[in-house]
Amino acid sequence: MNGITYVRGDATTPLGKGVKIIAHVCNDLGGWGKGFVVAVSRRWSEPEAAYRRWHRERAGNDFGLGAAQFVQVEPYVWVANLVGQRGMRTGRSSGVPVRYEAIDAALGLLADRAAESGASVHMPRIGCGLAGGSWHRVEPLVTRRLVERGIPVTVYDFGA
Protein backbone atom coordinates (compact mmCIF):
# COMPACT_ATOMS: atom_id res chain seq x y z
CA MET A 1 0.00 0.00 0.00
CA ASN A 2 1.43 3.36 -1.03
CA GLY A 3 -0.70 5.56 1.16
CA ILE A 4 -4.06 6.13 2.73
CA THR A 5 -7.17 5.09 0.82
CA TYR A 6 -9.92 7.70 1.00
CA VAL A 7 -13.54 6.66 0.48
CA ARG A 8 -16.96 8.18 0.94
CA GLY A 9 -18.87 6.12 3.47
CA ASP A 10 -19.35 5.12 7.08
CA ALA A 11 -16.29 3.98 9.04
CA THR A 12 -18.54 1.83 11.26
CA THR A 13 -19.07 -0.43 8.23
CA PRO A 14 -15.44 -0.97 7.21
CA LEU A 15 -14.66 -2.28 3.75
CA GLY A 16 -12.56 -5.31 2.92
CA LYS A 17 -11.80 -8.71 4.34
CA GLY A 18 -9.85 -9.88 7.36
CA VAL A 19 -9.37 -8.31 10.76
CA LYS A 20 -10.35 -4.65 10.88
CA ILE A 21 -9.75 -2.04 13.57
CA ILE A 22 -11.98 1.06 13.58
CA ALA A 23 -10.05 3.91 15.20
CA HIS A 24 -11.40 7.15 16.63
CA VAL A 25 -10.29 9.83 19.07
CA CYS A 26 -11.78 10.20 22.56
CA ASN A 27 -11.40 12.90 25.18
CA ASP A 28 -9.66 12.50 28.54
CA LEU A 29 -12.75 13.41 30.60
CA GLY A 30 -14.75 10.23 30.16
CA GLY A 31 -17.33 12.02 28.01
CA TRP A 32 -18.97 10.08 25.18
CA GLY A 33 -22.00 11.24 23.23
CA LYS A 34 -21.14 13.60 20.37
CA GLY A 35 -19.47 13.18 17.03
CA PHE A 36 -18.35 9.85 15.56
CA VAL A 37 -19.00 7.96 18.82
CA VAL A 38 -22.73 8.38 18.25
CA ALA A 39 -22.42 6.21 15.12
CA VAL A 40 -20.24 3.72 17.02
CA SER A 41 -22.78 3.46 19.85
CA ARG A 42 -25.66 3.10 17.40
CA ARG A 43 -23.96 -0.02 16.08
CA TRP A 44 -22.35 -1.52 19.21
CA SER A 45 -22.72 -0.84 22.94
CA GLU A 46 -19.38 -2.37 24.01
CA PRO A 47 -16.95 0.46 23.03
CA GLU A 48 -18.82 3.08 25.08
CA ALA A 49 -19.23 0.79 28.09
CA ALA A 50 -15.53 -0.19 27.96
CA TYR A 51 -14.41 3.46 27.57
CA ARG A 52 -16.54 4.65 30.48
CA ARG A 53 -15.29 1.78 32.68
CA TRP A 54 -11.68 2.50 31.60
CA HIS A 55 -12.11 6.17 32.60
CA ARG A 56 -13.94 5.36 35.85
CA GLU A 57 -11.16 2.95 36.91
CA ARG A 58 -8.32 5.22 35.64
CA ALA A 59 -6.56 5.31 39.00
CA GLY A 60 -5.60 1.68 38.40
CA ASN A 61 -4.99 1.58 34.65
CA ASP A 62 -3.32 3.37 31.73
CA PHE A 63 -6.18 5.75 30.85
CA GLY A 64 -4.88 9.16 29.80
CA LEU A 65 -3.68 11.17 26.82
CA GLY A 66 -1.89 8.93 24.34
CA ALA A 67 -3.48 5.70 25.58
CA ALA A 68 -5.42 3.23 23.43
CA GLN A 69 -8.11 0.72 24.32
CA PHE A 70 -9.14 -2.10 21.97
CA VAL A 71 -12.68 -3.48 22.16
CA GLN A 72 -13.80 -6.45 20.10
CA VAL A 73 -17.28 -5.87 18.64
CA GLU A 74 -17.52 -8.64 16.02
CA PRO A 75 -15.42 -11.74 15.32
CA TYR A 76 -13.09 -9.79 12.99
CA VAL A 77 -13.85 -6.19 14.00
CA TRP A 78 -12.35 -4.17 16.85
CA VAL A 79 -12.88 -0.55 17.91
CA ALA A 80 -9.84 1.40 19.09
CA ASN A 81 -10.62 4.15 21.60
CA LEU A 82 -7.64 6.52 21.22
CA VAL A 83 -7.32 9.23 23.89
CA GLY A 84 -6.12 12.23 21.90
CA GLN A 85 -8.23 15.11 23.10
CA ARG A 86 -7.75 17.20 26.26
CA GLY A 87 -11.19 18.07 27.58
CA MET A 88 -14.05 19.14 25.37
CA ARG A 89 -14.76 22.33 23.49
CA THR A 90 -17.20 24.62 25.26
CA GLY A 91 -18.42 28.10 24.49
CA ARG A 92 -15.97 29.53 27.03
CA SER A 93 -12.91 27.47 26.19
CA SER A 94 -9.94 28.87 24.38
CA GLY A 95 -8.06 26.76 21.91
CA VAL A 96 -8.95 23.37 20.52
CA PRO A 97 -9.00 20.13 22.55
CA VAL A 98 -6.94 18.08 20.06
CA ARG A 99 -3.50 16.96 21.26
CA TYR A 100 -1.42 15.87 18.29
CA GLU A 101 1.32 14.31 20.44
CA ALA A 102 -1.31 12.17 22.19
CA ILE A 103 -2.80 11.09 18.85
CA ASP A 104 0.70 10.21 17.68
CA ALA A 105 1.38 8.08 20.77
CA ALA A 106 -2.00 6.33 20.53
CA LEU A 107 -1.41 5.65 16.82
CA GLY A 108 1.84 3.93 17.79
CA LEU A 109 -0.12 1.57 20.06
CA LEU A 110 -2.69 1.06 17.31
CA ALA A 111 0.07 0.21 14.82
CA ASP A 112 1.49 -2.41 17.19
CA ARG A 113 -1.94 -4.03 17.64
CA ALA A 114 -2.72 -3.93 13.90
CA ALA A 115 0.68 -5.45 13.04
CA GLU A 116 0.22 -8.23 15.64
CA SER A 117 -3.19 -9.21 14.29
CA GLY A 118 -2.62 -8.50 10.59
CA ALA A 119 -5.45 -5.96 10.71
CA SER A 120 -6.33 -3.08 8.44
CA VAL A 121 -7.25 0.23 10.08
CA HIS A 122 -10.41 2.22 9.31
CA MET A 123 -11.23 5.69 10.61
CA PRO A 124 -12.92 9.00 10.02
CA ARG A 125 -10.53 11.98 9.90
CA ILE A 126 -9.59 11.44 13.52
CA GLY A 127 -9.05 14.46 15.72
CA CYS A 128 -10.60 16.79 13.15
CA GLY A 129 -14.24 16.93 14.21
CA LEU A 130 -15.16 18.00 17.72
CA ALA A 131 -11.49 17.91 18.76
CA GLY A 132 -10.86 20.80 16.35
CA GLY A 133 -7.72 19.41 14.75
CA SER A 134 -6.40 19.78 11.22
CA TRP A 135 -6.13 16.78 8.89
CA HIS A 136 -2.98 18.39 7.46
CA ARG A 137 -1.38 17.73 10.86
CA VAL A 138 -2.99 14.35 11.59
CA GLU A 139 -2.48 12.73 8.19
CA PRO A 140 1.36 12.68 8.45
CA LEU A 141 1.05 10.97 11.85
CA VAL A 142 -1.20 8.28 10.35
CA THR A 143 1.23 7.87 7.46
CA ARG A 144 4.30 7.62 9.68
CA ARG A 145 2.81 5.35 12.35
CA LEU A 146 0.67 3.05 10.18
CA VAL A 147 1.22 3.31 6.43
CA GLU A 148 5.02 3.25 6.66
CA ARG A 149 4.72 0.01 8.66
CA GLY A 150 2.71 -1.55 5.83
CA ILE A 151 -0.64 -1.35 7.61
CA PRO A 152 -3.53 -0.69 5.21
CA VAL A 153 -5.46 2.44 6.23
CA THR A 154 -8.84 3.59 4.93
CA VAL A 155 -10.22 7.02 5.84
CA TYR A 156 -13.97 7.49 5.49
CA ASP A 157 -15.63 10.80 4.67
CA PHE A 158 -19.27 10.52 5.67
CA GLY A 159 -22.09 12.10 3.65
CA ALA A 160 -22.09 13.95 0.37
Side-chain angles (χ1 to χ4, degrees):
M1 172 164 221
N2 294 19
I4 299 168
T5 300
Y6 291 88
V7 299
R8 196 157 295 293
D10 180 354
T12 66
T13 55
L15 304 170
K17 297 191 182 324
V19 178
K20 298 181 259 319
I21 301 173
I22 300 167
H24 70 102
V25 166
C26 303
N27 63 65
D28 65 348
L29 296 178
W32 180 290
K34 290 184 176 178
F36 181 70
V37 298
V38 173
V40 171
S41 290
R42 228 181 276 130
R43 191 127 180 196
W44 308 285
S45 60
E46 299 95 330
E48 177 180 358
Y51 168 77
R52 290 187 185 281
R53 185 171 48 255
W54 188 32
H55 176 264
R56 193 172 49 252
E57 298 170 0
R58 67 192 175 278
N61 64 39
D62 66 344
F63 184 92
L65 286 170
Q69 179 189 53
F70 301 92
V71 183
Q72 189 167 15
V73 293
E74 292 178 14
Y76 297 98
V77 180
W78 294 75
V79 171
N81 295 328
L82 309 179
V83 184
Q85 178 182 329
R86 164 79 70 200
M88 292 181 269
R89 193 186 305 219
T90 66
R92 295 173 301 213
S93 70
S94 58
V96 294
V98 69
R99 294 295 179 267
Y100 296 108
E101 63 285 351
I103 291 175
D104 187 45
L107 285 171
L109 298 171
L110 172 60
D112 291 343
R113 178 61 69 99
E116 280 171 19
S117 59
S120 56
V121 173
H122 305 261
M123 64 180 71
R125 293 181 188 240
I126 60 170
C128 299
L130 295 173
S134 160
W135 186 246
H136 294 293
R137 295 211 32 210
V138 174
E139 184 183 44
L141 304 177
V142 172
T143 298
R144 185 168 61 87
R145 291 292 192 164
L146 299 166
V147 176
E148 289 178 6
R149 284 187 63 181
I151 298 164
V153 176
T154 303
V155 171
Y156 296 76
D157 288 314
F158 190 78

